[in-house]
Amino acid sequence: MKKVMIIGGGLAGCEAAYQLASRGIPVELFEMKPGMFSPAHETEGLAELVCSNSLRSNAPDSAVGLLKEEMRSTGSLLMQVAEATQVPAGKALAVDRKLFSQKVTETMVQHELITLRREEVTSLPGPDSSPVILATGPLTSDSLARDLQRLTGQQLAFYDAIAPIVSAESLDKSLIYRKSRWDDDGPGDYLNCPMTEAQYEHFITLLQEGETVPLKDFEDAKFFEGCLPVEVMCSRGKDTLRFGPMKPVGLAHPETGEVPFAVVQLRAENREETMYNLVGFQTKLTYPAQKQVFSSIPGLEHAEFLRYGSIHRNTFICAPSLLQPSLQLQEQSNLFIAGQLSGVEGYVESIAMGMLAGINCACLVLHGQVPSVPPPGTALGALINHLTQSDPRHFQPSNVNFGLFPPLQKKMRKRDRGTFRAQLAKDLLDQWLQHDKIV
């Protein structure tokens, strides 16, 4: 039987490897760490989470919650691991990132059909090779990115930013209160740093004056709208943050009932809650500027920063002009593109594309053809539709959202639409799974 080569041991690569191996197909999984690290990776583990530890909403009537439900139904390994390593995060699914990576790594190493090779791949196999899944993600090495660019004839990179992490014991708990937005039933899973109008104005002034990391001559900064650096949001108007990640709505103080002018939320990074990240505070400020600006936040005056935010490259292809719905490259059908490299944005979406690439590749090896595409009324199908049917002239990576789904054929109240879409998607997915015998 053909052995499938998977390049990249991140979220998508590990999910793809599991889908193939669980169907009896041998896999060689290539990961360049620890011989070489990207600018944002720090550990030797596979499936390392570098931006946030949150996989976002778990609500089944939200688009990303629905995507998770579909992935569970389709047999996603990483969804199983995420649930086994989750930490409190309100209605979101957040994980202990160290434990999450550890469990995924153990699964890859221990599976008898998966061979893990710790070495960098610098060029892509040709069209006559056995099937290959490329899942090197937004931080693809320069050499491999150049080879992919040669193959596709297109530019591949724009830039993203990650948020800082602070030590829990360094926080001033006398100023910070625990509460989840709109959650009045318990203490809540988020720590909230409330600001008065004067404190907010001071913070905005510091942020506007903060020094940022200069771009190199060859860099062209194009930020994804769903993950803008905090200073970029601030530059759009002084109230942008107060109506964005710092909005106080639903976060009245649980004891006094007072509604702050603005709020900075902190989310636990691990189960022990010894580390917290600043929610929505992706940044490209210099480290000294981050220390000065973020220490002005009430409760963070003496914060110990365990990791500062940093800018990083996000590499992706122009999927509408290059990809088949099966995630095979149009010009080289033995090459599948998975994860963020395919043009999706977000952890869950990356895992989903790894899962589909693995399933499709397995069907190609076992049956000589790939299965049908999930219906566009499903979250999985909506993402594939976005990748392959968008206007290539204006293509941008996207998180899953109901705007990617086909319009509803009947009118209904907004609060009922999510539930209706979720049930419709479940029925469509069940039909697809049964028809193509995916699971």
Side-chain angles (χ1 to χ4, degrees), residues 56 92 180 192 234 237 272 282 295 320 323 344 359 396 398 405 430:
R56 313 198 318 277
S180 297
N192 298 273
C234 181
E272 294 77 17
Q282 305 85 2
S295 293
L323 277 190
V344 294
I359 291 171
Q396 281 285 319
S398 177
F405 286 58
D430 287 345

Side-chain angles (χ1 to χ4, degrees), residues 190-209:
Y190 290 81
L191 298 184
N192 298 273
C193 305
M195 286 186 178
T196 63
E197 183 173 0
Q199 289 170 327
Y200 179 77
E201 293 282 354
H202 177 61
F203 171 77
I204 290 299
T205 299
L206 290 177
L207 187 58
Q208 290 171 335
E209 297 174 350

Side-chain angles (χ1 to χ4, degrees), residues 64-143:
V64 70
L66 174 57
L67 179 59
K68 293 191 190 78
E69 286 295 317
E70 294 180 5
M71 293 164 69
R72 294 182 185 107
S73 298
T74 312
S76 166
L77 167 70
L78 270 65
M79 284 299 100
Q80 298 174 33
V81 175
E83 289 167 4
T85 60
Q86 63 181 310
V87 297
K91 295 180 180 180
L93 174 59
V95 303
D96 181 319
R97 68 174 77 207
K98 182 178 179 180
L99 190 58
F100 176 83
S101 174
Q102 177 184 323
K103 287 187 174 295
V104 174
T105 302
E106 288 174 354
T107 301
M108 297 297 106
V109 171
Q110 294 171 6
H111 201 294
E112 61 181 5
L113 290 178
I114 299 175
T115 302
L116 177 60
R117 299 200 180 282
R118 295 281 190 170
E119 55 189 270
E120 182 187 5
V121 176
T122 59
S123 60
L124 296 167
D128 298 325
S129 74
S130 296
V132 178
I133 296 178
L134 182 59
T136 44
L139 302 171
T140 298
S141 66
D142 291 342
S143 56

Side-chain angles (χ1 to χ4, degrees), residues 250-262:
L251 293 174
H253 196 289
E255 295 180 3
T256 66
E258 183 179 357
V259 179
F261 187 77

Side-chain angles (χ1 to χ4, degrees), residues 207-275:
L207 187 58
Q208 290 171 335
E209 297 174 350
E211 182 183 5
T212 58
V213 177
L215 296 174
K216 295 182 174 61
D217 293 340
F218 61 86
E219 293 179 332
D220 180 18
K222 300 177 183 177
F223 298 108
F224 171 57
E225 284 293 322
C227 194
L228 287 173
V230 64
E231 63 275 6
V232 173
M233 285 187 277
C234 181
S235 70
R236 296 182 174 182
K238 71 174 187 177
D239 288 322
T240 302
L241 288 172
R242 203 166 67 86
F243 289 96
M246 296 178 67
K247 63 179 178 288
V249 179
L251 293 174
H253 196 289
E255 295 180 3
T256 66
E258 183 179 357
V259 179
F261 187 77
V263 171
V264 175
Q265 287 200 300
L266 310 178
R267 181 176 55 232
E269 273 288 309
N270 57 1
R271 285 179 167 177
E272 294 77 17
E273 298 186 356
T274 58
M275 303 182 294

